[in-house]
Amino acid sequence: MVKRVHVAVAVIVNNEQEVLLSFRAANQHQGNLWEFPGGKVEVGETVQQALTRELLEELAVEVRSAEPLIEISHDYGDKTVLLDVWWSEDFSGEPHANEGQPWKWVPLHTLSDYEFPAANAPILEAINRRVGFVG
Protein backbone atom coordinates (compact mmCIF):
# COMPACT_ATOMS: atom_id res chain seq x y z
CA MET A 1 0.00 0.00 0.00
CA VAL A 2 1.32 3.44 -0.97
CA LYS A 3 1.76 5.89 1.88
CA ARG A 4 -0.48 8.99 1.63
CA VAL A 5 0.63 12.23 3.26
CA HIS A 6 -1.45 15.42 3.64
CA VAL A 7 0.86 18.44 3.74
CA ALA A 8 0.07 22.07 4.58
CA VAL A 9 2.28 24.36 2.49
CA ALA A 10 2.76 28.13 2.76
CA VAL A 11 3.83 30.53 0.05
CA ILE A 12 4.99 33.36 2.30
CA VAL A 13 5.63 36.64 0.51
CA ASN A 14 7.29 39.65 2.15
CA ASN A 15 6.97 43.37 1.33
CA GLU A 16 9.87 43.15 -1.15
CA GLN A 17 7.94 40.55 -3.22
CA GLU A 18 10.28 37.79 -2.10
CA VAL A 19 9.11 34.30 -1.18
CA LEU A 20 10.47 32.17 1.65
CA LEU A 21 12.10 28.87 0.62
CA SER A 22 13.61 26.03 2.66
CA PHE A 23 16.15 23.46 1.49
CA ARG A 24 15.33 19.78 2.05
CA ALA A 25 18.06 17.70 3.71
CA ALA A 26 19.69 14.99 1.59
CA ASN A 27 18.22 12.22 3.78
CA GLN A 28 14.62 13.44 3.34
CA HIS A 29 12.17 12.30 0.67
CA GLN A 30 12.91 14.53 -2.35
CA GLY A 31 16.10 15.72 -0.60
CA ASN A 32 18.52 18.34 -1.87
CA LEU A 33 15.67 20.34 -3.40
CA TRP A 34 14.08 23.66 -2.45
CA GLU A 35 10.55 23.75 -1.08
CA PHE A 36 7.92 26.07 0.27
CA PRO A 37 7.75 25.68 4.06
CA GLY A 38 5.11 23.62 5.80
CA GLY A 39 4.55 20.09 7.00
CA LYS A 40 2.23 17.20 7.67
CA VAL A 41 -1.34 17.78 8.78
CA GLU A 42 -1.83 15.72 11.94
CA VAL A 43 -5.03 13.80 12.75
CA GLY A 44 -7.68 16.16 14.15
CA GLU A 45 -5.84 19.24 12.91
CA THR A 46 -7.07 21.73 10.31
CA VAL A 47 -4.76 22.79 7.51
CA GLN A 48 -4.52 26.28 9.05
CA GLN A 49 -3.57 24.79 12.42
CA ALA A 50 -0.91 22.64 10.75
CA LEU A 51 0.50 25.65 8.89
CA THR A 52 0.70 27.65 12.10
CA ARG A 53 2.33 24.81 14.06
CA GLU A 54 4.81 23.77 11.37
CA LEU A 55 6.00 27.29 10.55
CA LEU A 56 6.49 28.16 14.21
CA GLU A 57 8.36 24.88 14.82
CA GLU A 58 10.55 25.04 11.72
CA LEU A 59 11.16 28.74 11.14
CA ALA A 60 9.75 30.76 14.08
CA VAL A 61 7.35 32.51 11.68
CA GLU A 62 3.69 33.02 12.54
CA VAL A 63 1.21 33.21 9.70
CA ARG A 64 -1.52 35.62 10.80
CA SER A 65 -3.74 35.08 7.77
CA ALA A 66 -3.58 33.06 4.57
CA GLU A 67 -5.82 32.17 1.67
CA PRO A 68 -5.97 28.99 -0.42
CA LEU A 69 -3.76 29.05 -3.52
CA ILE A 70 -3.95 25.51 -4.93
CA GLU A 71 -4.44 21.88 -3.90
CA ILE A 72 -2.31 19.23 -5.58
CA SER A 73 -2.26 15.46 -5.42
CA HIS A 74 0.99 13.94 -6.66
CA ASP A 75 2.12 10.31 -6.81
CA TYR A 76 5.86 9.76 -6.39
CA GLY A 77 5.47 5.98 -6.65
CA ASP A 78 6.59 5.28 -3.09
CA LYS A 79 4.40 8.00 -1.63
CA THR A 80 1.39 10.08 -2.60
CA VAL A 81 1.22 13.64 -1.32
CA LEU A 82 -1.73 15.96 -1.06
CA LEU A 83 -0.31 19.48 -0.97
CA ASP A 84 -2.73 22.03 0.49
CA VAL A 85 -1.05 25.29 -0.54
CA TRP A 86 -1.85 28.66 1.03
CA TRP A 87 -0.70 32.19 0.12
CA SER A 88 0.28 34.56 2.94
CA GLU A 89 1.54 38.11 2.97
CA ASP A 90 0.45 38.59 6.60
CA PHE A 91 2.99 37.03 8.95
CA SER A 92 5.20 37.97 11.86
CA GLY A 93 8.68 37.00 12.94
CA GLU A 94 11.99 36.75 11.18
CA PRO A 95 12.77 33.26 9.87
CA HIS A 96 15.17 31.24 11.98
CA ALA A 97 16.19 27.68 11.09
CA ASN A 98 14.96 25.96 14.25
CA GLU A 99 15.61 22.55 12.68
CA GLY A 100 18.92 23.53 11.04
CA GLN A 101 17.58 23.65 7.49
CA PRO A 102 18.88 26.31 5.12
CA TRP A 103 16.30 28.90 4.08
CA LYS A 104 16.25 32.14 2.16
CA TRP A 105 14.08 34.87 0.72
CA VAL A 106 14.11 34.84 -3.08
CA PRO A 107 12.49 37.29 -5.52
CA LEU A 108 9.28 35.84 -6.92
CA HIS A 109 10.51 36.31 -10.49
CA THR A 110 13.55 34.07 -9.82
CA LEU A 111 11.68 30.93 -8.67
CA SER A 112 12.43 29.19 -11.97
CA ASP A 113 16.13 29.30 -11.02
CA TYR A 114 15.56 26.82 -8.16
CA GLU A 115 15.05 23.05 -8.21
CA PHE A 116 11.86 21.85 -6.50
CA PRO A 117 10.23 18.43 -6.04
CA ALA A 118 8.07 17.46 -9.04
CA ALA A 119 4.86 18.00 -7.04
CA ASN A 120 5.72 21.70 -6.80
CA ALA A 121 5.38 22.45 -10.54
CA PRO A 122 1.66 23.36 -10.23
CA ILE A 123 2.51 25.61 -7.25
CA LEU A 124 4.98 27.55 -9.38
CA GLU A 125 2.36 27.88 -12.13
CA ALA A 126 -0.25 29.10 -9.59
CA ILE A 127 2.22 31.68 -8.24
CA ASN A 128 2.96 32.90 -11.76
CA ARG A 129 -0.77 33.27 -12.47
CA ARG A 130 -1.35 35.10 -9.20
CA VAL A 131 1.43 37.64 -9.65
CA GLY A 132 0.96 38.00 -13.41
CA PHE A 133 4.20 36.48 -14.70
CA VAL A 134 4.09 35.04 -18.20
CA GLY A 135 6.06 32.06 -19.31
Side-chain angles (χ1 to χ4, degrees), residues 26-101:
N27 63 342
Q28 290 180 297
H29 186 265
Q30 298 295 302
N32 289 326
L33 298 171
W34 289 95
E35 68 177 352
F36 300 96
K40 293 177 190 167
V41 178
E42 301 295 341
V43 175
E45 192 175 46
T46 68
V47 174
Q48 294 89 340
Q49 289 169 332
L51 268 182
T52 298
R53 177 183 50 75
E54 287 284 347
L55 293 171
L56 280 171
E57 287 175 5
E58 291 180 13
L59 295 167
V61 170
E62 181 180 3
V63 170
R64 293 188 291 239
S65 69
E67 60 187 69
L69 179 64
I70 191 171
E71 190 175 283
I72 302 155
S73 182
H74 186 85
D75 184 355
Y76 282 108
D78 62 333
K79 176 189 288 192
T80 298
V81 293
L82 171 61
L83 302 180
D84 217 323
V85 186
W86 292 66
W87 179 276
S88 179
E89 296 179 38
D90 185 12
F91 63 94
S92 63
E94 283 298 317
H96 176 77
N98 289 338
E99 297 178 352
Q101 76 282 21

